Amino acid sequence: PADMISKLFPPADTSPVGLVRIAINFDQVSQAQVLSERLKERGYQVGLNMMQSHGKAEDQYVQTARSVTGWGSVDVLYFADSFGNMDPSQITSISKALLSEWKRPLGIHAHNNKGLALINALTALEAGVTWFDGTIMGMGRGAGNVSSEALLLEFEHLEIHHGKPQALIPCLEMVQDLKEKFQWGPNHLYHYAANHNIHPTFVQTLLNDPRFYSVQIYPTLESLATQSSTSFTSSVLNNAIYRMDNNNSGGDGQWDATGWLDNREVLLVGAGPSVGRYRNGILRFIEQHEPTVIFLNANSYLSDDVADATVLTQESRADADIERYLQLNHPIIMPVANLGSVFGKQMDRLSILDYGLKIEEGTFRIEPRGCYLHWPLAFAYALSVITQSKAKALYLVGFDGYSSDDMRQVEMNEVLSNYAELPEQIPLKALTPTNYSIHQGSIFEPVI
């Protein structure tokens, strides 16, 4: 780490940067000593931002402040309300504990999950904190921070002026323009996350994924609240989306898919708009080729009568279209261990092929009665079912794809590249336009 500092940071007198702040989790603060010392040697003002500072015993704050003081290389010590779940009483006690040993400037980085960022900042001010982070309109990752304009207004009211107080009015005018343009504001989902010690990146990831409606996000957050979610990992999110626990037996269903599609051609229908655009061509293809037709979740463009089966893996999808699934006149292929609770007593109304599914980090394994997957994607599950069923070819429609920097695009191409490495993989061809790494054909190809 010391060598990396030397490579990344020139001497301060030749750098456009004057202040470097190190952000590190509270429990790992000791690892920042070598960084702060090397930065100080190179002439920088050094800040230390202790993330996830909530919920510690008083003596932990005192001992940490004493230890950092002993380094002699930190100019400003910060504590961060990373989950936005601190209240004014906690702000006061943390500030006092740190200031009992720390005699240099103390700062606070407040998050606004519960709408308490401003009052927490003002409480910290009363407790002796003198450095405050703020952003215009509170803009920031997730629920955002205390707003700069709110701090400026309060500091002016308290007659705490740093610089020219007349800068306040232009700032407020700019904020009003931005507010009208971007409609920025707090989000109740981050409030829920703060109350349950859920890392805000989980909420941010769910909100940024168009596959999820808000009604589908709530059960995922409820699931996250029952497990350790203080650090973001994709595997924890995957488990929450599928309501799975790593100790369950979700990979083992009751139905053996082996040979179900023996030597058959299969048409897998996705949800992309191209299904609507090429609807007539798809129906002609089905009539001419007579493939086994499988829907990936409920389809908005084709009648259920067209399909021979529907694949369903996600609880939120089942919740959203439960009445439609209950009326299907063909089988649903799904992992009952993971979705049975959605249908409850109404399971008797369904024709189910119970093929198991379990999410396991770094895995793509297909077995007779279930699969073990790294990705929480119905497509990967459908590939597993169709492959185990011994189909001879798989055609895809409605897999349009996304932009190259969209995480859904990255995920799907990861599935495809990993599938291509499996010894049992079968040929894939997209018959409607796609951005995925799939061999491109056409729904209008002649029958040969």
Side-chain angles (χ1 to χ4, degrees):
D3 289 342
M4 288 303 298
I5 292 294
S6 299
K7 292 177 181 178
L8 292 169
F9 293 88
D13 57 7
T14 65
S15 171
V17 174
L19 165 67
V20 179
R21 188 169 68 189
I22 303 162
I24 190 166
N25 282 351
F26 186 94
D27 296 331
Q28 299 171 312
V29 162
S30 61
Q31 297 177 26
Q33 181 176 358
V34 63
L35 303 177
S36 66
E37 289 174 347
R38 182 54 61 93
L39 286 165
K40 180 55 64 176
E41 288 172 6
R42 299 186 76 75
Y44 291 95
Q45 188 177 22
V46 178
L48 181 65
N49 186 20
M50 302 181 296
M51 300 183 296
Q52 298 189 19
S53 293
H54 64 282
K56 314 298 181 187
E58 181 181 357
D59 63 334
Q60 286 181 275
Y61 298 114
V62 173
Q63 291 173 13
T64 298
R66 182 182 301 135
S67 175
V68 176
T69 297
W71 301 351
S73 54
V74 174
D75 299 291
V76 186
L77 184 64
Y78 256 81
F79 67 98
D81 181 12
S82 298
F83 292 177
N85 58 4
M86 291 183 184
D87 59 33
S89 64
Q90 292 171 298
I91 298 294
T92 299
S93 61
I94 293 172
S95 300
K96 289 183 176 179
L98 292 172
L99 288 169
S100 68
E101 291 290 335
W102 179 257
K103 305 307 179 184
R104 292 182 173 184
L106 182 66
I108 181 172
H109 183 99
H111 283 179
N112 206 33
N113 297 56
K114 300 172 71 170
L116 296 175
L118 178 60
I119 189 61
N120 282 345
L122 295 177
T123 301
L125 177 67
E126 292 178 359
V129 173
T130 55
W131 283 51
F132 300 88
D133 286 354
T135 55
I136 296 297
M137 293 196 301
M139 283 187 179
R141 188 180 71 169
N145 310 97
V146 62
S147 69
S148 300
E149 61 275 15
L151 285 177
L152 285 172
L153 283 164
E154 290 302 313
F155 288 169
E156 183 187 54
H157 179 67
L158 296 169
E159 298 184 350
I160 302 171
H161 297 310
H162 296 280
K164 297 180 180 180
Q166 56 263 44
L168 175 62
I169 299 304
C171 175
L172 295 179
E173 290 174 346
M174 176 180 65
V175 166
Q176 187 60 34
D177 291 341
L178 289 170
K179 182 81 172 177
E180 292 175 2
K181 182 176 181 180
F182 293 108
Q183 298 298 309
W184 177 262
N187 188 306
H188 58 282
L189 296 173
Y190 288 105
H191 191 148
Y192 180 92
N195 283 346
H196 294 85
N197 290 327
I198 299 171
H199 196 284
T201 301
F202 286 108
V203 181
Q204 184 182 23
T205 302
L206 291 168
L207 288 174
N208 287 342
D209 192 333
R211 288 176 295 180
F212 298 102
Y213 303 103
S214 56
V215 294
Q216 298 168 326
I217 294 175
Y218 294 118
T220 301
L221 291 178
E222 286 179 334
S223 181
L224 286 168
T226 65
Q227 54 188 303
S228 178
S229 304
T230 56
S231 295
F232 177 82
T233 66
S234 58
S235 59
V236 170
L237 179 59
N238 291 351
N239 289 338
I241 291 170
Y242 280 87
R243 298 293 186 89
M244 293 183 197
D245 183 274
N246 281 329
N247 295 320
N248 72 15
S249 57
D252 192 15
Q254 298 299 312
W255 175 56
D256 187 338
T258 307
W260 177 58
L261 300 171
D262 192 26
N263 209 35
R264 293 275 299 169
E265 292 184 333
V266 177
L267 181 69
L268 183 62
V269 182
S274 62
V275 178
R277 290 197 301 272
Y278 295 95
R279 181 177 183 276
N280 292 336
I282 293 170
L283 293 175
R284 281 195 297 271
F285 179 90
I286 293 171
E287 182 181 352
Q288 292 174 1
H289 286 255
E290 299 183 344
T292 298
V293 180
I294 299 177
F295 282 179
L296 200 64
N297 303 309
N299 194 274
S300 303
Y301 304 103
L302 299 179
S303 166
D304 294 330
D305 294 336
V306 172
D308 298 292
T310 292
V311 166
L312 178 63
T313 61
Q314 194 169 324
E315 187 171 319
S316 57
R317 298 279 185 178
D319 275 331
D321 294 306
I322 188 168
E323 288 303 320
R324 183 170 176 182
Y325 290 122
L326 290 171
Q327 296 171 14
L328 292 179
N329 58 5
H330 60 246
I332 297 177
I333 305 170
M334 72 179 198
V336 171
N338 306 324
L339 296 182
S341 61
V342 177
F343 295 100
K345 294 179 180 179
Q346 299 182 96
M347 289 277 286
D348 294 339
R349 296 171 56 184
L350 302 173
S351 174
I352 296 173
L353 300 176
D354 177 18
Y355 189 75
L357 166 63
K358 187 171 183 180
I359 302 300
E360 283 191 358
E361 194 80 15
T363 304
F364 197 150
R365 189 167 79 253
I366 302 171
E367 296 188 352
R369 293 194 293 132
C371 55
Y372 297 78
L373 304 173
H374 172 78
W375 311 268
L377 296 178
F379 175 66
Y381 177 81
L383 277 181
S384 302
V385 172
I386 294 166
T387 302
Q388 186 62 35
S389 297
K390 309 303 180 186
K392 70 175 182 179
L394 175 57
Y395 302 111
L396 306 172
V397 294
F399 290 84
D400 302 5
Y402 306 91
S403 62
S404 60
D405 59 349
D406 192 306
M407 281 305 300
R408 293 167 294 177
Q409 183 80 4
V410 174
E411 249 185 344
M412 280 287 287
N413 281 329
E414 282 182 355
V415 171
L416 289 163
S417 63
N418 279 268
Y419 179 74
E421 295 176 1
L422 298 180
E424 64 267 44
Q425 59 97 10
I426 57 179
L428 307 180
K429 181 189 285 188
L431 299 183
T432 54
T434 182
N435 289 338
Y436 297 130
S437 301
I438 305 172
H439 177 63
Q440 181 71 68
S442 170
I443 199 67
F444 304 111
E445 290 178 9
V447 177
I448 300 174

